[in-house]
Amino acid sequence: MKKLKKVDVVIVGMGWTGGLIAQELSGKGLKVVGLERGAMRVPEKDFVIPFVRDELKFQQRRELQQNLARETITFRNKSNERALPMRNLGSFLPGEGLGGAGLHWNGMSFRNTHADHELRSVISNRYGKKRIPSDMDLRDWPQTYSELETHYSEFEQLCGVSGKAGNIKGNIQPGGNPFEAPRSKDYPLPPLESSLSNDLFNKASRSLGYNPYPLPAANCSKPYKNQYGDVFGQCQYCGHCELFACESNAKASPNITVLKRPLSDKDFELKTHSWVTRLKKGKGSNRIEGVYYTNMQSGEEYFQPAETVFLCAWTLNNVHLLLNSGIGAAYDPKTGDGLVGKNYCYQVMAGARLFFEKKELNTFMGAGALGSVVDNFNSENFDHSQLSFLGGGFIANLSMGARPISSHPVPPGTPKYGTEWKKAVQKWYNRNTLLIIHGSNYPSRLNYLSLDPTYKNVFGQKLLRMTFNFTDNDRNMMEFLQIRLKKIIKEMNPTHTAGPKKLSNNYNIVPYQSTHNTGGAIMGTSPADSVVNKYCQSWDHPNLFILGASAFPQNTGYNPTLPLGALSYYVAKGVKEKYLKKPGALI
Amino acid sequence: MDLKSFFNRRELFKLIGLTGLTSILLSPRSSFSEEKPAAESVEMGFVFFTAEEVAFIKSYVDILIPADEFSPSASSCGVANFIDRQLSGSFGVASRTYLQGPFYNGSPSQGYQKPFTPSEIYRKSIHQINEYCQRKYKLPFDMIGVKNQQRVVDRVHSNRLLKNSELLMDFSKLILQNTKEGFFADPVYFGNKNKVSWKMIGYPGVLALYSQAIKKFKGKKYSAPVYSIEDID
Ligand SMILES: Cc1cc2nc3c(=O)[nH]c(=O)nc-3n(C[C@H](O)[C@H](O)[C@H](O)COP(=O)(O)OP(=O)(O)OC[C@H]3O[C@@H](n4cnc5c(N)ncnc54)[C@H](O)[C@@H]3O)c2cc1C
């Protein structure tokens, strides 16, 4: 093991959160090292036409995601089951390599609602304190929406989000989302061009009295230059977005934005193929002394001492590193003691495929975040007083682009192979569209992350163990949302429909659902019930910051990246204005 | 300027969103030639499958995707070659799969829990299905005629060929997935010869620059030359 020279800052993981922190700390004369377990990824070299459109490689073989031969998680639905390894990727797809999942995300870029940031208070005020079940640990975020508003704007500007504002400084904007919390300014770019299926969805949901609006997209509707001078191209609606990198520089990624500043800073050093295995706690002090990492190409192990450590390795990896380093007490669902691994949440999803005999939908044209959304049944946008659940979700029509291997759906009852199957594929390939429900997931005492007693990663360390299942709250919510979804479907009047399926009794780790895993190192106002404070600073170790959706106390009905981007800016501001001047506990 | 030399100037592509190039490229009346000059066709060799297995796999994928008015058969589109090359590479040895023990049977929500790689599943399953055919028809699968092959394949895919065979259940999912992958993947992977499946469904291929077309062709049928990776590279 080689001990390296001490640096000011070490950042673990170079995706959205790590990249953003690296940007904010660059150009200040600080010696910063960024450690990324995966490969270097340079869009203009690695992702060009035609190779960037390789569906077999990027979609079927998951080229840009975590290689599970080295490390995976184990999973079980309940504490009394034996957790078994997730041997192949499925339900969620952790990124690996420079840019993390930010390189190949879709770019759906929602702000949380006002209520999402003060959830416990809002629900208690509306329905009484007793309404929140005792095993549902709902929280207010330690920051209100208003405190984060400028940072939401900052992140939207950074990414060139294309959308239609619904509420500018309290003025409701026609065509936007009327439930939106007030924003200080409009989106940086107008919405993407809608698809025909989006139009059909809009018409149907409007006739039901809902308020559809264009899905906010970090896919640029026009050429764009952000506040740092990063240049974006126009979205080509190429239909190769989710799971793919963008050759037009139209999809915001860390690689074409935040990482540019540190990479041109002489004081910043990026080390790829550098896998952090452990953080070192100081003996007899509350400091983290640095991190151990292994160079995955030489096999050499290093210790990198640092004044300050930023853990930016994505939700599950953040929690895994804390547990494997013995930082904080692990949560125990039996006693309720311990905090690391607590409040692990996911996303509750459903989908329906609609087939239209007489419509040419040009399904192969699309963008990762091209869609139309109804938010009438999300968050606290509707009255829950007579309902058997809390939470909600958005309903959307998505035009993400139908790539031929992964998207040739056929109506229910079609044989799985043979001429009849082929006939149906030919007929329906260009005549179908997807509607989804994207639902919140509130904490359950029984859902948590811990270390697995049996299975090991390539370094011989214990794997992270996930114990997770859907709850009655999730099932009741999904039933309610599906009734609304079915109304929209009926109004759209398709020739055939497949789905939505009832929420399964057991969460299944095999089919892809979303990479919106949250919690496990949650933020709060007191060390008694949270792992980090509002600056994502560890209560136990003030020179350790833990960023990302691992800090979310519960998961909303929205995708996580805009909120975690805003939160990262908020943290960076606190670090720059307070911590760097006087290193130590900020609260 | 032919398409190939155009695209070899890769730098151009980074600028596309900012220039007028897109609209030129998007024109479906593009003058770029769509097809490569027909090379002399040479029968492609196999690297994973044995001669016996080649015979099996060709006839099996042709039951899944037969020749009809929609397309030539899977094997004549190169799907058997596709599967062969996949199995001989990292997919075949499950190089990105967590394969450490201990192995236990899990619940369905825990996913695949066996130690077998795709190439092992193919090899063993082909052997078992051929043995079945030998017992029942005194001939290997590829020699029993299309009607019987259809029956055997239907039984494999409804898990009724051998009593409760977990192996054949895994095989049936795998070969269906790989056959469709080969049929729909870019021809650079040896299946989908002449882009037959893409032409069949109307997928215009990998150029895919639609910033103008998304509006212009809304509700209308889009037709344009179909480009594969090799057409552009
Ligand atoms: C297919 C897909 C589509 C998505 N679409 C959307 C969307 O439309 N909208 C949305 O809001 N979100 C979306 N997401 C989620 C989004 O990508 C994440 O929220 C975001 O990238 C999280 O940022 P992060 O910094 O926490 O993690 P990442 O961006 O994933 O970065 C984490 C980095 O840490 C590295 N790392 C991990 N462990 C270690 C270690 N031990 N040592 C060194 N480095 C390590 C990883 O390799 C990775 O590069 C999507 C995700 C996927 C996979």
Side-chain angles (χ1 to χ4, degrees):
Chain A
M1 210 229 5
K2 235 191 197 144
K3 189 171 169 183
L4 300 169
K5 244 179 90 187
K6 189 168 183 177
V7 293
D8 295 308
V9 172
V10 65
I11 304 174
V12 182
M14 284 281 112
W16 264 131
T17 54
L20 201 143
I21 286 299
Q23 161 179 284
E24 295 299 301
L25 297 181
S26 66
K28 300 201 158 14
L30 295 170
K31 290 272 177 227
V32 180
V33 168
L35 299 174
E36 166 54 49
R37 67 178 174 180
M40 186 69 186
R41 301 208 199 271
V42 183
E44 64 268 27
K45 273 196 0 224
D46 301 334
F47 307 107
V48 292
I49 287 179
F51 310 107
V52 68
R53 307 263 201 262
D54 187 338
E55 186 188 9
L56 188 77
K57 186 195 257 182
F58 295 116
Q59 172 127 21
Q60 302 302 110
R61 303 291 177 258
R62 310 276 191 232
E63 177 86 0
L64 297 176
Q65 282 99 46
Q66 185 171 330
N67 177 351
L68 299 191
R70 290 170 168 177
E71 178 167 282
T72 184
I73 60 148
T74 67
F75 164 72
R76 57 185 179 177
N77 285 121
K78 302 183 201 81
S79 290
N80 61 4
E81 285 174 2
R82 189 202 317 261
L84 294 176
M86 175 175 81
R87 297 191 179 276
N88 293 303
L89 285 170
S91 179
F92 48 87
L93 303 169
E96 190 171 292
L98 192 67
L103 181 67
H104 52 74
W105 68 319
N106 293 49
M108 300 183 183
S109 300
F110 297 93
R111 295 180 176 202
N112 285 342
T113 65
H114 201 283
D116 288 333
H117 286 287
E118 292 163 62
L119 200 59
R120 186 162 200 100
S121 305
V122 169
I123 290 175
S124 310
N125 290 341
R126 281 192 185 163
Y127 318 116
K129 281 206 168 68
K130 291 208 185 99
R131 179 62 200 269
I132 301 171
S134 60
D135 63 350
M136 186 192 278
D137 184 17
L138 287 184
R139 308 279 184 99
D140 291 357
W141 280 40
Q143 314 83 355
T144 60
Y145 171 80
S146 321
E147 281 173 274
L148 287 173
E149 202 285 331
T150 52
H151 304 300
Y152 272 120
S153 286
E154 232 174 333
F155 198 68
E156 282 172 355
Q157 302 291 324
L158 172 80
C159 294
V161 179
S162 304
K164 175 86 189 86
N167 180 345
I168 302 180
K169 297 182 180 151
N171 298 314
I172 300 297
Q173 311 287 312
N177 174 16
F179 302 99
E180 183 176 61
R183 49 170 58 248
S184 52
K185 44 177 144 190
D186 204 342
Y187 283 104
L189 289 173
L192 291 166
E193 207 59 65
S194 67
S195 68
L196 177 59
S197 63
N198 297 160
D199 295 351
L200 298 172
F201 175 85
N202 290 346
K203 192 164 163 247
S205 39
R206 257 186 221 118
S207 77
L208 291 163
Y210 306 153
N211 308 82
Y213 66 96
L215 202 163
N219 315 142
C220 291
S221 58
K222 289 186 173 161
Y224 177 69
K225 202 189 254 185
N226 71 11
Q227 64 267 51
Y228 306 96
D230 302 324
V231 177
F232 292 66
Q234 180 180 9
C235 175
Q236 298 299 321
Y237 304 84
C238 73
H240 296 69
C241 193
E242 175 177 55
L243 302 171
F244 294 73
C246 179
E247 91 291 349
S248 298
N249 281 358
K251 173 165 71 177
S253 70
N255 310 54
I256 66 162
T257 60
V258 287
L259 286 168
K260 286 197 172 161
R261 262 62 70 197
L263 288 175
S264 60
D265 177 359
K266 62 174 180 14
D267 293 321
F268 177 82
E269 196 182 353
L270 170 69
K271 294 184 180 175
T272 52
H273 301 285
S274 299
W275 192 305
V276 175
T277 50
R278 203 153 53 85
L279 280 60
K280 185 179 179 191
K281 284 199 288 191
K283 280 203 186 84
S285 87
N286 63 355
R287 294 181 57 77
I288 299 298
E289 293 190 347
V291 305
Y292 294 94
Y293 73 92
T294 299
N295 181 309
M296 301 303 285
Q297 292 185 313
S298 66
E300 189 116 29
E301 204 192 347
Y302 297 89
F303 178 66
Q304 175 66 67
E307 284 295 338
T308 305
V309 176
F310 286 84
L311 199 46
C312 299
W314 184 66
T315 311
L316 300 184
N317 302 318
N318 283 351
V319 176
H320 191 208
L321 280 167
L322 292 178
L323 291 170
N324 262 337
S325 310
I327 294 174
Y331 171 67
D332 178 349
K334 281 198 197 98
T335 60
D337 296 337
L339 289 163
V340 179
K342 189 174 183 303
N343 284 34
Y344 169 69
C345 295
Y346 195 43
Q347 205 85 67
V348 183
M349 312 274 292
R353 189 61 71 171
L354 279 58
F355 298 86
F356 293 91
E357 192 151 41
K358 299 229 164 63
K359 301 259 189 288
E360 293 296 338
L361 294 170
N362 293 335
T363 51
F364 42 86
M365 301 180 192
L370 177 60
S372 213
V373 187
V374 159
D375 249 335
N376 298 60
F377 306 105
N378 206 349
S379 183
E380 274 297 316
N381 298 349
F382 59 112
D383 180 19
H384 289 72
S385 55
Q386 304 302 316
L387 299 173
S388 56
F389 65 91
L390 293 169
F394 68 74
I395 302 176
N397 169 240
L398 303 179
S399 297
M400 302 189 292
R403 300 173 290 279
I405 303 175
S406 53
S407 184
H408 50 262
V410 287
T414 307
K416 290 206 160 52
Y417 49 86
T419 293
E420 281 307 304
W421 166 77
K422 224 196 287 177
K423 187 176 170 187
V425 169
Q426 190 207 35
K427 175 160 183 186
W428 298 109
Y429 169 72
N430 202 33
R431 300 190 178 92
N432 72 84
T433 192
L434 176 69
L435 265 59
I436 64 156
I437 293 170
H438 190 279
S440 60
N441 182 226
Y442 290 167
S444 155
R445 190 174 58 82
L446 304 175
N447 291 338
Y448 70 109
L449 305 169
S450 55
L451 287 178
D452 189 89
T454 311
Y455 293 94
K456 305 273 161 56
N457 68 9
V458 75
F459 307 103
Q461 295 178 298
K462 290 177 174 172
L463 295 185
L464 186 74
R465 177 177 65 185
M466 174 188 293
T467 306
F468 181 82
N469 215 349
F470 297 130
T471 61
D472 284 341
N473 189 74
D474 299 330
R475 272 181 282 278
N476 295 342
M477 176 188 81
M478 203 30 107
E479 208 180 301
F480 174 92
L481 289 170
Q482 290 196 357
I483 293 171
R484 275 73 198 166
L485 173 72
K486 285 179 187 156
K487 278 192 187 170
I488 299 177
I489 295 175
K490 189 159 174 240
E491 202 60 32
M492 287 174 79
N493 193 23
T495 319
H496 303 287
T497 307
K501 277 198 224 134
K502 235 179 94 185
L503 190 66
S504 58
N505 274 335
N506 288 326
Y507 161 67
N508 185 322
I509 200 149
V510 182
Y512 184 67
Q513 287 150 70
S514 81
T515 311
H516 306 163
N517 314 60
T518 69
I522 63 173
M523 56 183 169
T525 50
S526 155
D529 64 6
S530 56
V531 176
V532 294
N533 65 25
K534 67 176 178 177
Y535 298 107
C536 289
Q537 180 181 38
S538 158
W539 291 110
D540 297 343
H541 308 280
N543 71 330
L544 171 65
F545 292 80
I546 308 161
L547 273 77
S550 50
F552 294 4
Q554 59 264 334
N555 203 5
T556 68
Y558 295 120
N559 314 51
T561 307
L562 211 70
L564 70 82
L567 180 62
S568 303
Y569 266 123
Y570 177 90
V571 169
K573 187 162 182 265
V575 167
K576 285 189 296 185
E577 291 179 357
K578 299 185 188 166
Y579 179 83
L580 288 181
K581 289 184 186 136
K582 193 169 170 282
L586 290 170
I587 292 173
Chain B
M1 180 166 45
D2 69 32
L3 192 61
K4 190 161 176 160
S5 55
F6 184 88
F7 281 103
N8 279 341
R9 297 209 235 144
R10 292 266 158 68
E11 330 75 84
L12 279 177
F13 256 91
K14 289 287 110 190
L15 296 170
I16 258 180
L18 305 174
T19 68
L21 272 173
T22 357
S23 51
I24 308 171
L25 288 167
L26 269 166
S27 161
R29 272 166 276 106
S30 155
S31 58
F32 305 134
S33 73
E34 181 196 343
E35 304 286 349
K36 292 184 106 179
E40 219 161 283
S41 97
V42 181
E43 186 72 10
M44 194 179 156
F46 285 81
V47 291
F48 171 77
F49 289 128
T50 63
E52 189 189 326
E53 290 165 346
V54 169
F56 175 97
I57 213 78
K58 281 186 171 173
S59 34
Y60 199 104
V61 298
D62 285 354
I63 297 296
L64 299 179
I65 301 185
D68 50 30
E69 71 262 43
F70 303 105
S71 79
S73 75
S75 70
S76 48
C77 295
V79 169
N81 301 97
F82 167 86
I83 297 178
D84 178 69
R85 295 297 164 108
Q86 287 295 307
L87 293 180
S88 67
S90 66
F91 174 80
V93 296
S95 71
R96 293 166 68 87
T97 298
Y98 184 83
L99 278 174
Q100 294 184 40
F103 291 87
Y104 297 102
N105 286 331
S107 72
S109 53
Q110 290 175 307
Y112 187 71
Q113 289 299 337
K114 299 196 192 71
F116 313 120
T117 63
S119 56
E120 289 168 337
I121 293 175
Y122 268 86
R123 187 140 276 160
K124 277 199 222 155
S125 304
I126 293 174
H127 185 72
Q128 289 194 4
I129 297 171
N130 264 341
E131 270 191 338
Y132 170 92
C133 294
Q134 282 291 358
R135 280 199 305 275
K136 179 141 184 167
Y137 305 103
K138 310 275 180 284
L139 288 166
F141 178 77
D142 62 292
M143 314 261 290
I144 62 178
V146 172
K147 250 205 167 126
N148 288 331
Q149 283 172 348
Q150 182 78 52
R151 282 212 349 233
V152 170
V153 169
D154 287 345
R155 287 185 151 256
V156 170
H157 289 262
S158 52
N159 203 20
R160 288 179 298 132
L161 193 78
L162 305 175
K163 239 193 204 154
N164 278 332
S165 165
E166 289 186 24
L167 175 71
L168 289 192
M169 204 155 84
D170 293 337
F171 171 73
S172 69
K173 286 188 206 138
L174 197 57
I175 193 168
L176 198 56
Q177 177 200 327
N178 294 151
T179 301
K180 291 179 183 179
E181 280 174 348
F183 188 59
F184 287 115
D186 194 286
V188 76
Y189 289 104
F190 315 115
N192 194 14
K193 229 179 243 166
N194 299 323
K195 302 166 271 189
V196 281
S197 73
W198 292 0
K199 290 173 188 166
M200 173 185 110
I201 60 176
Y203 168 69
V206 299
L207 191 52
L209 303 170
Y210 304 123
S211 63
Q212 320 279 319
I214 180 123
K215 198 165 170 189
K216 204 163 138 197
F217 288 89
K218 195 188 271 188
K220 291 184 212 131
K221 199 166 176 68
Y222 177 81
S223 72
V226 179
Y227 294 115
S228 67
I229 289 176
E230 284 171 314
D231 295 335
I232 297 174
D233 178 31

